[in-house]
Amino acid sequence: MKGAMKKQWLCAAVGWLFLLLQAFPIHAQQHYIGIRGGAVAGKARIKPTVESKYFMATPMAGISYKFYGTDRFLGGIQIDLNVLQKGFKTIPEASKPDTSYRRTITAVELPFLWQPHANLFRGHARVFLNLGPYVSYALASEERMVSARDGMLWKRDYVYDSRRDNRLEIGLAGGGGVAVAIRRFELQAEFRYVFGFSDMLKQPMKYPGNPDSSPIDQMNISLGLYYRLFKQNKDK
């Protein structure tokens, strides 16, 4: 069931990208390429319920493509390729609330986003929303146990097991922000919430002892610097 759902979401992501590209004429003027960087806070939704807290301020960086069409109602698209660290923090023992298990996951992430927007100040600024599916693949992971009183108790690499772990993740990303245009450059600030649909650990029927579900959510803030690829007549 889970495998079929993943295939459906992968097909939906590809279909979403195809429809977005078909919606905009390739000859339109505003194609942008840029770089992004920011910080990520992650939290796991583990059932049966395990107390989980946001794991704050892990890094993110990537490259990005944006396209603004001529139709204001269609908005634009944004496609990112990010390398990031996401993670979560749990309290494994209720009797030791000052001791937490923390895990970070280094992953590559590919979101396909629809970006409706409104122009301000005669096109020198925009406010925008982002919404669309994403695909992510875990490259490596690290785990540690930390005590508020005694500091780090232990730290080690997390060893992936194909019977127990899912490296592939799919989900839905949404957020918004503001962009300021300076000639052919555009500076963008964005907040994004990423809602995971895939479990990082496989169902207990496949690996006994795993939780029933274990998706990861993220919140991230980022800054991006973009360059418009084709010159417009109004450029000096």
Side-chain angles (χ1 to χ4, degrees), residues 59-63 81-85 106-109 139:
M60 174 193 68
I63 58 176
L81 179 61
N82 302 320
V83 177
L84 71 159
Q85 282 192 330
T106 302
V108 59
E109 180 183 81
L139 303 173

Side-chain angles (χ1 to χ4, degrees), residues 42-165:
K43 183 177 181 180
R45 289 179 282 118
I46 301 174
K47 294 182 180 180
T49 303
V50 174
E51 184 180 357
S52 179
K53 298 182 178 180
Y54 276 103
F55 190 27
M56 303 298 293
T58 52
M60 174 193 68
I63 58 176
S64 181
Y65 166 76
K66 289 199 303 181
F67 176 81
Y68 293 116
T70 55
D71 189 325
R72 71 172 75 179
F73 300 105
L74 290 176
I77 62 173
Q78 180 172 324
I79 303 171
D80 302 329
L81 179 61
N82 302 320
V83 177
L84 71 159
Q85 282 192 330
K86 55 188 174 183
F88 62 92
K89 178 169 65 173
T90 62
I91 309 300
E93 297 183 42
S95 60
K96 298 180 180 179
D98 64 332
T99 301
S100 61
Y101 171 82
R102 305 180 185 186
R103 185 171 161 203
T104 58
I105 300 168
T106 302
V108 59
E109 180 183 81
L110 185 64
F112 308 99
L113 303 169
W114 173 45
Q115 190 178 100
H117 62 272
N119 291 331
L120 304 174
F121 308 113
R122 297 184 178 180
H124 293 290
R126 317 178 202 263
V127 291
F128 62 87
L129 299 175
N130 270 333
L131 179 66
Y134 76 92
V135 180
S136 175
Y137 186 82
L139 303 173
S141 185
E142 180 185 272
E143 57 183 349
R144 67 186 73 177
M145 191 72 75
V146 179
S147 168
R149 184 185 63 183
D150 302 323
M152 188 171 309
L153 303 179
W154 53 262
K155 175 182 175 181
R156 64 194 178 200
D157 291 336
Y158 182 86
V159 179
Y160 277 96
D161 185 331
S162 60
R163 298 168 300 170
R164 177 190 62 201
D165 301 289

